[in-house]
Amino acid sequence: MSSAIQTENLTKKFRRVEALQGLNLEVPPGAIYALVGPNGAGKTTAIKILMNIFEPTSGRAEVLETDSRQLRGRAFAAIGYVSENQEMPLWMRVGALLEYLRPFYPRWDRDLENELVKQFDLPLDRKLQHLSRGMRMKAALASALAYHPRLIVLDEPFTGLDPLVRDELIESMLECAAEATVLISSHDLGEIESFASHVGYLEQGCLRFSQEMTALSERFREVELTLELPAILPEEMPETWMQTNVSGSAVRFVASSFDAERTNAEISRVFGKARDVTFTPMSLRSIFLAMAKTGRATRTGG
């Protein structure tokens, strides 16, 4: 299997709103792929198409080598899916929910189920409607991991959870990820940076980049430099420079395609001789904010 998930020119329209625009996404087997982007970027829409909740307007998506539009019944025995707004039978007790689900999954592991119940401290005799949101998310994740899925899909699973619950969910997910591929959308960039192997940035339905985390870290740099004289910004700047700011003789910008030799050459071409040039690695959160602010400025003409 060359890709656990692959989309080709995937488009989704809701009347006049184009939620996805020609999305080409590839998630390699064994990856922990983080899909990030601002609210309304199309992350949940993309995931719902992959899970055959929505049909695409055009294009196609394959999940575990199956057309997403054909996913039903037994196909989901290999997929563990948990979303932020997970619909659950709130009238059921936790133990009854797990008992109800077992027959649907041939690979359901009772030992793993018991381990997850213990790890999450799930009260088997309590109804889901009487649990906190964090505990309901634990129950949902336990029911999605207990059958050793080949693919784990998590849509904003950490939203609104306290740090302890979030850490418990991440720990369990990573333990199970050793034998699975993971696709996760989230705004919790600090946490994602600590475990994701790949990251894709979605904005206005378009995938702006998709890279291994190590390559992404090498690609972006915060650049600061000091000139001999007050800086004057030319009308044309390198396309890979973002958020260029000038204060007297000091210049700051984000290099989105960093290469020390090339970036230094660009600085010399734009500003002439510079001194005190520094290149600082960026966190995923800083990269996300730089991309979001640049996209917003482009849309508003700012």
Side-chain angles (χ1 to χ4, degrees), residues 12-19 21:
K12 181 62 178 178
K13 293 182 179 180
F14 296 97
R15 295 185 179 179
R16 296 182 180 180
V17 177
E18 196 165 22
Q21 303 180 43

Side-chain angles (χ1 to χ4, degrees), residues 92-100 102 113 123-126:
M92 291 187 77
R93 301 182 191 278
V94 175
L97 172 67
L98 297 174
E99 183 179 358
Y100 170 77
R102 287 176 204 140
E113 174 197 326
L124 297 177
D125 59 345
R126 292 191 64 186

Side-chain angles (χ1 to χ4, degrees), residues 47-48 51 53 79-83 86 144 147 151 153-155:
I47 287 177
K48 286 187 174 182
M51 296 294 97
I53 298 171
I79 301 171
Y81 170 54
V82 176
S83 69
Q86 187 89 7
Y147 49 90
L151 175 65
V153 179
L154 307 175
D155 186 15

Side-chain angles (χ1 to χ4, degrees), residues 100 160 187 204 281 289:
Y100 170 77
H187 285 100
Q204 289 194 305
L289 290 175

Side-chain angles (χ1 to χ4, degrees), residues 127-167:
K127 291 185 177 181
L128 291 164
Q129 64 186 0
H130 295 148
L131 301 181
S132 66
R133 182 178 182 279
M135 290 301 287
R136 284 200 295 270
M137 287 301 293
K138 287 182 179 181
L141 190 61
S143 65
L145 297 179
Y147 49 90
H148 299 280
R150 293 166 56 200
L151 175 65
I152 301 169
V153 179
L154 307 175
D155 186 15
E156 297 284 0
F158 309 134
T159 302
L161 301 182
D162 67 60
L164 179 60
V165 173
R166 187 175 63 233
D167 288 348

Side-chain angles (χ1 to χ4, degrees), residues 10-12 14 17-23 35-47 49 155-156 185-187 200-208 288 291-292 295 299:
L10 198 64
T11 299
K12 181 62 178 178
F14 296 97
V17 177
E18 196 165 22
L20 292 178
Q21 303 180 43
L23 178 64
L35 188 62
V36 302
N39 287 332
K43 302 185 298 297
T44 293
T45 298
I47 287 177
I49 290 175
D155 186 15
E156 297 284 0
S185 74
S186 177
H187 285 100
Y201 182 83
L202 196 62
E203 181 183 51
Q204 289 194 305
C206 298
L207 192 65
R208 301 302 184 189
F288 175 94
M291 294 287 294
R299 293 193 299 274

